[in-house]
């Protein structure tokens, strides 16, 4: 899972990167000025791991990239290549530097239009060839119609994601590097003096918004838990925005977290919302999926209430499920399998 921070020059991209990754090592590559790992803030895996006395606790991690392609490294004539690199991301975090008193709408549009134009340029080039290919019966009329629909949307200055394409339509264009098809979260970087008074819009052009003083977040990320709480209080903040950001990322991408818990290791796993326990088994190991018999499922809340597997079983909080069971966020799963 790759999260990519985008924004204009000096908007606070690297500050957000450091808030997510902490003061750890990062590397640079191509248009990414920093690449690092964001360790999930989900506290449940640690609670479970402690209850289980696990020797190892493994939270979910995300790869974070600080993208400078629209910043200092931006070159109009290289935009094709820049977009190719962006296309490796699953979700974008678009920063708006409200601390610089910019017009939020204008600042959003500025980058938004660059993304829309780059998709439009691609569609127009593709359409030229596609019309010939359809005539020669080398491509389908369906694809041509879909690309025309996409072209119209982009000409209306709307992202492709606003079309809510069907699964079949998405399949037809899955090979295309469309960046306005990807989910995006707008992060408004507010001045620390505006904490508590800044009116945070719920959405901008239908993208979810998070407002946060990123310079404070960066400071918080460098601290230990106790100090962190203290500093949050000092600034009048309830919680770190990073936590909320992760929740929003998972919601926008349609992911949930499930757990496996044992003495050797307790681990959190990402799974597409609506996926079956059979698919979950495949995430853990292909052999476990192949040999799937049944799944023992205890919800996190029940697990914590009971304190351990055995007690949860005694209290009838564990249920046995077959392959088709749809995993819920927070399920603690033990797969019975034979190979
Ligand atoms: N007051 C204030 N300053 C901030 C905030 N966020 C970032 N800055 C400052 O703005 C400057 C740019 O921040 P960066 O995080 O480096 O921004 P960037 O988008 O990575 O910049 P480039 O990589 O040069 O495009 C730095 O001097 C930060 O200290 C904020 O929330 N409040
Ligand atoms: Mg930077």
């Amino acid at each position: 899972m790759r999260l990519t921070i985008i924004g204009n020059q000096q908007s606070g991209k690297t500050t957000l990167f450091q808030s997510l990754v902490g003061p750890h090592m990062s590397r640079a590559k191509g248009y990414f000025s920093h690449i690092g790992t964001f360790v999930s803030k989900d506290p449940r895996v640690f609670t479970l791991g402690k209850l289980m006395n696990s020797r190892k606790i493994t939270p979910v991690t995300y790869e974070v990239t600080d993208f400078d392609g629209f910043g200092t490294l931006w070159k109009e004539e290289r935009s094709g290549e820049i977009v190719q690199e962006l296309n490796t991301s699953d979700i974008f975090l678009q920063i708006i530097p409200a601390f610089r008193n910019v017009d939020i709408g204008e600042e959003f549009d500025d980058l938004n239009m660059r993304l829309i134009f780059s998709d439009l340029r691609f569609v127009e080039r593709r359409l030229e060839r596609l019309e010939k290919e359809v005539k020669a019966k080398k491509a389908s009329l369906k694809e041509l119609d879909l690309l025309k629909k996409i072209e119209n949307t982009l000409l209306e200055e709307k992202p492709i994601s606003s079309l809510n394409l069907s699964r079949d339509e998405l399949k037809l264009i899955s090979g295309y590097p469309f960046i306005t098809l990807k989910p995006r979260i707008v992060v408004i970087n507010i001045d620390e003096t505006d904490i508590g008074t800044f009116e945070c819009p719920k959405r901008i052009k239908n993208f979810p918004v998070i407002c946060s003083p990123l310079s404070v977040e960066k400071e918080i990320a460098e601290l230990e838990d106790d100090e962190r709480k203290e500093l949050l209080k000092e600034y009048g903040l309830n919680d770190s925005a990073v936590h909320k950001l992760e929740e929003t990322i998972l919601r926008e991408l349609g992911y949930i977290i499930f757990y496996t818990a044992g003495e050797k290791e307790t681990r959190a796993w990402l799974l597409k919302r609506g996926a079956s326990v059979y698919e979950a088994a495949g995430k853990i190991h292909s052999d476990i999926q192949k040999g799937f018999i049944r799944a023992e499922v205890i919800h996190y809340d029940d697990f914590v209430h009971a304190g351990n597997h055995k007690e949860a079983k005694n209290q009838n909080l564990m249920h046995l499920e077959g392959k088709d069971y749809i995993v819920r966020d927070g399920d603690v799963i033990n797969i019975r399998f034979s190979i």
Side-chain angles (χ1 to χ4, degrees):
M1 177 83 62
R2 178 180 269 190
L3 326 174
T4 293
I5 303 167
I6 57 175
N8 288 329
Q9 268 183 53
Q10 293 284 296
S11 52
K13 298 182 295 295
T14 302
T15 308
L16 176 60
F17 177 87
Q18 288 162 338
S19 315
L20 291 169
V21 172
H24 304 300
M25 293 278 289
S26 71
R27 60 201 166 90
K29 186 171 177 271
Y31 291 101
F32 299 117
S33 53
H34 302 88
I35 302 175
T37 304
F38 166 47
V39 179
S40 169
K41 296 289 172 222
D42 167 31
R44 296 181 297 192
V45 69
F46 293 100
T47 307
L48 282 173
K50 270 186 214 134
L51 285 173
M52 293 299 297
N53 270 323
S54 304
R55 287 194 287 283
K56 190 174 165 201
I57 299 178
T58 313
V60 164
T61 56
Y62 309 81
E63 188 186 40
V64 191
T65 54
D66 176 0
F67 188 74
D68 200 21
F70 296 115
T72 39
L73 296 179
W74 171 257
K75 279 202 185 74
E76 185 70 40
E77 65 275 17
R78 309 209 78 146
S79 61
E81 174 187 317
I82 290 175
V83 166
Q84 282 290 343
E85 275 216 53
L86 258 193
N87 194 41
T88 58
S89 307
D90 295 293
I91 189 164
F92 299 128
L93 312 176
Q94 180 182 351
I95 309 238
I96 308 225
F99 71 93
R100 294 195 189 285
N101 292 319
V102 295
D103 180 293
I104 290 175
E106 272 175 27
E107 182 82 13
F108 173 84
D109 285 342
D110 177 61
L111 196 68
N112 190 45
M113 290 309 289
R114 279 205 258 177
L115 301 177
I116 286 175
F117 279 140
S118 81
D119 278 354
L120 188 59
R121 253 196 307 263
F122 180 87
V123 171
E124 282 171 345
R125 273 202 312 263
R126 180 74 190 120
L127 271 173
E128 270 173 38
R129 270 187 295 137
L130 200 59
E131 283 181 1
K132 283 180 207 141
E133 286 175 21
V134 170
K135 273 190 201 122
K137 299 218 173 342
K138 279 183 188 150
S140 72
L141 201 57
K142 247 193 196 159
E143 187 177 340
L144 183 67
D145 287 343
L146 177 57
L147 278 202
K148 281 187 178 158
K149 184 161 98 174
I150 288 175
E151 184 188 28
N152 284 331
T153 303
L154 294 166
L155 285 170
E156 285 168 24
E157 305 186 349
K158 288 189 202 141
I160 303 172
S161 58
S162 67
L163 274 169
N164 292 318
L165 297 175
S166 70
R167 196 181 286 221
D168 286 344
E169 287 175 319
L170 287 174
K171 226 184 200 165
L172 268 180
I173 55 166
S174 63
Y176 294 156
F178 289 140
I179 42 178
T180 68
L181 189 57
K182 300 209 188 238
R184 202 186 318 167
I185 298 170
V186 178
V187 180
I188 300 184
N189 186 4
I190 68 170
D191 197 87
E192 60 189 66
T193 56
D194 291 333
I195 295 171
T197 54
F198 189 84
E199 282 188 35
C200 191
K202 280 232 152 56
R203 293 197 159 247
I204 293 180
K205 297 251 171 93
N206 220 20
F207 292 106
V209 178
I210 283 180
C211 298
S212 164
L214 293 179
S215 52
V216 176
E217 286 294 334
K218 180 184 145 191
E219 218 181 308
I220 292 170
E222 289 164 5
L223 301 173
E224 297 298 324
D225 274 354
D226 297 348
E227 293 175 307
R228 187 175 301 165
K229 275 188 197 127
E230 221 164 88
L231 195 70
L232 280 169
K233 221 162 99 192
E234 234 169 76
Y235 277 109
L237 293 162
N238 293 327
D239 192 6
S240 150
V242 167
H243 200 142
K244 188 167 169 217
L245 185 61
E246 185 184 2
E247 279 174 16
T248 311
I249 288 167
L250 292 179
R251 198 183 61 230
E252 289 301 303
L253 287 170
Y255 275 91
I256 58 165
I257 297 179
F258 76 91
Y259 304 93
T260 49
E263 266 175 35
K264 205 172 116 203
E265 185 184 17
T266 289
R267 181 162 174 176
W269 306 80
L270 286 179
L271 186 71
K272 264 279 180 204
R273 183 177 291 283
S276 67
V277 73
Y278 184 72
E279 290 169 73
K283 288 248 162 193
I284 302 167
H285 201 286
S286 57
D287 285 346
I288 294 183
Q289 187 180 45
K290 253 186 247 155
F292 186 98
I293 302 170
R294 277 193 171 282
E296 299 175 355
V297 182
I298 307 167
H299 193 266
Y300 170 81
D301 296 333
D302 293 334
F303 198 104
V304 172
H305 175 79
N308 58 51
H309 270 122
K310 203 171 153 206
E311 199 46 43
K313 255 186 218 177
N314 289 343
Q315 296 181 24
N316 276 329
L317 296 172
M318 190 199 84
H319 39 115
L320 280 178
E321 301 287 355
K323 276 183 184 174
D324 297 332
Y325 171 75
I326 302 298
V327 178
R328 294 173 305 165
D329 181 61
D331 274 346
V332 183
I333 295 175
N334 181 35
I335 312 268
R336 291 189 198 160
F337 67 103
S338 74
I339 36 172

